[in-house]
């Protein structure tokens, strides 16, 4: 009898709870002010559906909640889930990119596609200045573009309109300064419509090998990230990322040196021949070795402290990882002078072959090192592959310099 009474009491309590839920205050269920206007301006509550391609976990959950709120009129029609005519246009383009096999990157391409032309034009102007060895003009051009870009981003932030799409629009607008630069310097640039076929054939014969080499290097770097995730887990990937981004503080110096050495090496070869090219490559190698030794000393002495200061105490105790990644990335930077030498000689096929060997080392020795040493194994794998490429390329360049 007592058990039956307890069951009846629990049943009455559940009934009261359900009744209180259905009779919640109207203010709690009511949509936000203006929701009726949103429904009138956009699709009706029953007209919205959801089709997710390639999303899962938190992303899919947030989008599903956003759609539910949009259908109920509880949120604005623009945000994580958007209901507007421009969104429809982007959706059509996104589906086109997805059909082309680029589902994960469809949105990225939609944002970058309009801006990439002006961004490439900006880089073209920089390359022209560097080819003329006008470093001051490059600095002035970059400064003007950077100031315009920062002012635009600041204005967007003040107006609460800053987003990924608007940020890229500002970058494109700032890069349009390149059009004015080309107009001012048009007398130094001559277009010859009769040579485009010959130039295209020449560039293709050379560029296809450079593209293959760049692809091999890119695949090697991507393989280390995904291979480390598969072999050791997300914790080692986090350690790799933290150490890698500390070492990348050297990037501004490295990129600056590359921007200067590339045209300088080609100019020395064009004006004074093979001996001048060889001297230029050796000089660049000495400068990079000196800088790499100094930066590596900083990583050895304070690498762990820098990682902890930036990423938190959970990354303490990984000093060896920072040292290994520094060895790998700095050894890759040491490849730059000799690669530029072969590049000036037009040896694209040889550079592609050395990149393929580096990729093979990554897939074999690099895999074994990752499995045994985790994130540190990535650095040592890069070091071995880069060392082989440096020795091979220097031996080939010395042979060419001696025998002409």
């Amino acid at each position: 009898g007592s058990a039956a009474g307890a069951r009846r009491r629990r049943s009455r309590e559940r009934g009261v709870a359900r009744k209180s839920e259905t009779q919640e205050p109207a203010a709690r269920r009511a949509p936000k002010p203006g929701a009726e206007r949103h429904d009138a301006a956009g699709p009706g509550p029953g007209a919205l559906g959801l089709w997710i391609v390639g999303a899962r976990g938190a992303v899919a959950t947030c989008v599903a909640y956003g759609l539910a709120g949009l259908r109920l009129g509880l949120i604005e029609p623009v945000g994580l889930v958007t209901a507007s005519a421009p969104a429809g246009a982007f959706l059509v383009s996104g589906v086109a990119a997805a059909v082309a096999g680029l589902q994960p990157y469809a949105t990225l391409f939609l944002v970058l596609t309009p801006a990439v032309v002006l961004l490439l034009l900006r880089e073209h102007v920089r390359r022209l200045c560097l080819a003329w060895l006008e470093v001051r003009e490059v600095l002035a051009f970059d400064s003007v573009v950077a100031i315009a870009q920062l002012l635009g981003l600041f204005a967007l932030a003040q107006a609460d309109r800053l987003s990924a799409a608007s940020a890229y629009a500002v970058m494109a607008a700032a890069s349009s300064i390149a059009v004015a630069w080309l107009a001012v310097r048009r007398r130094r640039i001559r277009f010859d419509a009769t040579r485009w076929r010959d130039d295209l054939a020449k560039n293709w014969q050379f560029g296809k090998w450079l593209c293959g080499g760049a692809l091999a290097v890119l695949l090697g770097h991507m393989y280390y990230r995904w291979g480390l995730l598969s072999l050791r887990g997300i914790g080692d990937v986090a350690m790799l990322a933290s150490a890698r981004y500390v070492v990348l503080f050297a990037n501004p110096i490295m990129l600056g040196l590359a921007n200067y050495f590339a045209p300088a090496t080609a100019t020395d070869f064009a004006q004074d021949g093979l001996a001048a090219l060889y001297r230029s490559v050796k000089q660049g190698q000495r400068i990079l070795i000196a800088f790499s030794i100094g930066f590596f000393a900083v990583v050895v002495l304070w690498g762990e402290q820098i990682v902890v200061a930036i990423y938190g105490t959970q990354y303490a105790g990984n000093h060896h990882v920072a040292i290994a990644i520094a060895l790998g990335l700095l050894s890759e930077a040491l490849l730059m002078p000799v690669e530029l030498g072969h590049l000036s000689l037009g040896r694209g096929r040889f550079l592609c072959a050395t990149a393929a060997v580096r990729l093979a080392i990554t897939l074999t020795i690099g895999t074994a090192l990752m499995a045994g040493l985790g994130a540190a194994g990535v650095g040592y794998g890069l070091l071995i592959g880069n060392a082989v490429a440096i020795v091979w390329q220097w031996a080939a360049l010395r042979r060419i310099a001696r025998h002409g």
Side-chain angles (χ1 to χ4, degrees), residues 201-219:
K202 180 180 178 180
N203 288 329
W204 169 247
Q205 289 298 322
F206 181 53
K208 65 182 180 182
W209 297 111
L210 296 183
C211 180
L215 182 61
V217 173
L218 178 63
L219 288 175

Side-chain angles (χ1 to χ4, degrees), residues 354-373:
T354 59
V357 170
R358 289 166 63 189
L359 178 59
I361 292 173
T362 295
L363 298 175
T364 53
I365 299 174
T367 300
L369 289 171
M370 275 194 300
L373 301 175

Side-chain angles (χ1 to χ4, degrees), residues 52-72:
I52 296 179
V53 179
R56 63 179 182 177
V59 174
T61 303
C62 290
V63 171
Y65 276 127
L67 178 66
L70 193 63
R71 293 185 64 177
L72 294 174

Side-chain angles (χ1 to χ4, degrees), residues 65-387:
Y65 276 127
L67 178 66
L70 193 63
R71 293 185 64 177
L72 294 174
L74 300 176
I75 62 173
E76 298 287 335
V78 177
L80 178 62
V81 178
T82 299
S84 62
F90 281 121
L91 177 62
V92 172
S93 302
V95 170
V99 170
L102 302 169
Q103 290 92 339
Y105 304 102
T107 303
L108 178 62
F109 284 129
L110 290 174
V111 175
L112 289 177
T113 300
V116 71
V117 175
L118 288 171
L119 292 172
L120 288 175
L121 189 61
R122 167 187 173 180
E123 184 61 23
H124 176 63
V125 168
R126 296 182 73 256
R127 295 292 176 179
L128 283 176
C129 292
L130 290 169
W132 298 333
L133 295 179
E134 295 180 354
V135 180
R136 291 183 179 178
E137 188 160 350
V138 175
L139 179 60
F141 176 76
D142 282 344
S143 298
V144 172
V145 172
I147 291 171
Q149 185 171 308
L150 290 173
L151 289 175
L153 293 174
F154 178 76
L156 287 174
Q158 290 295 106
D160 199 21
R161 300 290 297 274
L162 186 60
S163 65
S166 62
Y168 276 113
V170 167
M171 291 173 62
S175 298
S176 65
I177 296 173
V179 177
W181 184 94
L182 289 171
V184 172
R185 303 299 296 269
R186 62 184 180 277
R187 293 184 179 179
R188 296 194 63 178
I189 304 170
R190 183 173 62 89
F191 296 94
D192 189 349
T194 62
R195 296 185 55 185
W196 73 270
R197 291 180 182 274
D198 294 337
D199 288 342
L200 180 63
K202 180 180 178 180
N203 288 329
W204 169 247
Q205 289 298 322
F206 181 53
K208 65 182 180 182
W209 297 111
L210 296 183
C211 180
L215 182 61
V217 173
L218 178 63
L219 288 175
H221 282 283
M222 295 303 297
Y223 174 77
Y224 273 125
R225 295 180 186 127
W226 290 106
L228 187 62
L229 177 63
S230 176
L231 292 171
R232 302 284 297 211
I234 192 66
D236 278 59
V237 175
M239 285 191 291
L240 171 63
S242 63
R244 181 175 180 271
Y245 283 111
V246 169
V247 178
L248 288 182
F249 280 128
N251 252 14
I253 301 298
M254 296 295 187
L255 292 176
L257 291 173
N259 285 334
Y260 176 78
F261 285 143
T265 302
T267 301
D268 288 341
F269 177 60
Q271 294 179 351
D272 300 314
L274 189 58
L277 178 141
Y278 189 68
R279 288 194 301 270
S280 179
V281 171
K282 287 200 298 183
Q283 180 185 10
Q285 194 74 72
R286 293 190 192 102
I287 293 173
L288 270 178
I289 288 174
F291 174 77
S292 298
I293 291 174
F295 190 86
F296 182 69
V298 172
V299 174
V300 171
L301 294 174
W302 300 291
E304 183 177 1
Q305 292 89 326
I306 297 173
V307 170
V308 171
I310 296 175
Y311 297 102
T313 55
Q314 64 269 31
Y315 290 94
N318 295 311
H319 192 204
H320 65 290
V321 176
I323 292 175
I325 298 303
L327 286 171
L329 294 180
L330 291 175
S331 64
E332 188 167 5
L334 292 177
L335 264 170
M336 180 178 62
V338 67
E339 279 191 339
L340 291 175
H342 288 287
L343 192 66
S344 299
L345 294 172
R347 306 194 70 212
R349 187 171 184 172
F350 173 74
L351 292 176
C352 182
T354 59
V357 170
R358 289 166 63 189
L359 178 59
I361 292 173
T362 295
L363 298 175
T364 53
I365 299 174
T367 300
L369 289 171
M370 275 194 300
L373 301 175
V378 174
Y380 296 129
L382 286 171
L383 176 62
I384 294 172
N386 295 331

Side-chain angles (χ1 to χ4, degrees), residues 8-44:
R8 285 194 295 271
R9 284 194 300 273
R10 286 196 296 270
S11 178
R12 285 196 300 271
E13 290 170 355
R14 285 195 296 269
V16 171
R18 285 194 296 269
K19 185 176 180 180
S20 63
E21 289 174 359
T22 57
Q23 294 178 350
E24 60 181 328
R28 189 176 165 191
R29 297 196 317 261
K32 292 182 178 179
E36 294 79 8
R37 294 194 302 273
H38 303 331
D39 291 340

